[in-house]
Amino acid sequence: MAAGFLVMLADMANVPIQQMIFPFLQLCLILFALAYRHILRPSKVGPTTRHIVTIITGLVLGFFCYSWSMLHLLLHATLGFVLMKFCYRKYMALVVFCVAMTYLSIEHLRKTATSTAVLLDHETLIATHRSRKHRS
């Protein structure tokens, strides 16, 4: 599978797997863009087919990159579209902004509280400050 191959490459290059996923996805998307331009050109297929292919490709590559966190991206976007559909135009921008920022803030706090690998910035600054103080 591609993930195992990327883990092996990341180990060989001595970089985190996240830094290996990004160039891999960029290469995949360049190849997809070439195929999209030549195979799915507007003169050959309709816009519905082109939209379905890009949505499926985006979901697959997004899931590959973000795994189950991709559901938060989908929920966030869907929530915004639903609010735009049902809110009055006068208040739509404010309502969508407030709901989106509240959702993102809650998710950020949840992720910060449940993550085991959180290194707070003030700890890094204190450690850096102490090491400079001991050098002089």
Side-chain angles (χ1 to χ4, degrees), residues 52-77:
I52 290 172
V53 168
T54 53
I55 288 171
I56 291 171
T57 304
L59 289 174
V60 168
L61 291 177
F63 188 80
F64 181 77
C65 189
Y66 299 111
S67 70
W68 289 105
S69 295
M70 183 69 178
L71 293 178
H72 290 293
L73 290 169
L74 292 174
L75 179 63
H76 184 117

Side-chain angles (χ1 to χ4, degrees), residues 68-84 95-108:
W68 289 105
S69 295
M70 183 69 178
L71 293 178
H72 290 293
L73 290 169
L74 292 174
L75 179 63
H76 184 117
T78 304
L79 189 60
F81 281 118
V82 168
L83 287 172
M84 284 190 274
V95 170
V96 171
F97 174 76
C98 290
V99 170
M101 288 306 292
T102 302
Y103 177 77
L104 290 174
S105 297
I106 290 169
E107 277 306 305
H108 175 71

